[in-house]
Amino acid sequence: QVQLVESGGGLVQAGGSLRLSCAASGRTSNSYAMAWFRQVHGKEREFVGGIRWSDVSTYYADSVKGRFTVSIDNGKNMVYLQMNSLKPEDTAVYYCAARTPTVVYNPALYGYWGQGTQVFVSS
């Protein structure tokens, strides 16, 4: 079992920045891939970015490429999503997810999820 807990959401003005954190515990290992998804009420969960523990390869949705950065702190079992140049359309609940062995864009293929953290970007 893997437990994931997100933090760092909040209210920010357009153009601002936020850093989300995901604390991973339980049976974590370098075989896992971590991802961030977001969801707006009434819409499907959308892939944002991901990273593999094994080689720190990163993957991003086109909508956030160049603005968002996924990183890990291996010693602390933490995954981060640095969000810069935020736009109102980035408003969503952001979720951390884990699976093995690699990052995929389909949320149905992730077995572990955090509870989500709300990000609201005002115009």
Side-chain angles (χ1 to χ4, degrees):
Q1 287 286 345
V2 174
Q3 293 80 43
L4 304 172
V5 179
E6 303 97 334
S7 60
L11 171 64
V12 63
Q13 286 189 331
S17 298
L18 274 178
R19 188 178 80 158
L20 305 183
S21 300
C22 174
S25 61
R27 298 181 64 182
T28 57
S29 73
N30 282 352
S31 64
Y32 277 90
M34 307 297 295
W36 289 94
F37 288 80
R38 64 187 181 187
Q39 189 170 25
V40 175
H41 182 68
K43 294 189 176 181
E44 292 185 352
R45 200 162 289 191
E46 173 191 28
F47 176 82
V48 175
I51 190 167
R52 293 196 307 198
W53 285 105
S54 59
D55 61 4
V56 205
S57 298
T58 54
Y59 309 80
Y60 296 98
D62 288 342
S63 58
V64 306
K65 206 170 290 184
R67 299 189 298 123
F68 291 11
T69 303
V70 182
S71 62
I72 57 174
D73 183 330
N74 224 333
K76 296 181 180 179
N77 275 2
M78 294 290 294
V79 183
Y80 303 102
L81 179 65
Q82 177 67 44
M83 304 185 294
N84 299 329
S85 302
L86 281 161
K87 305 174 182 180
E89 51 264 43
D90 294 319
T91 295
V93 177
Y94 283 72
Y95 296 90
C96 178
R99 70 181 303 273
T100 58
T102 190
V103 175
V104 296
Y105 288 30
N106 185 349
L109 299 179
Y110 285 79
Y112 302 102
W113 291 88
Q115 82 288 352
T117 185
Q118 175 73 56
V119 171
F120 185 82
V121 184
S122 63
S123 56

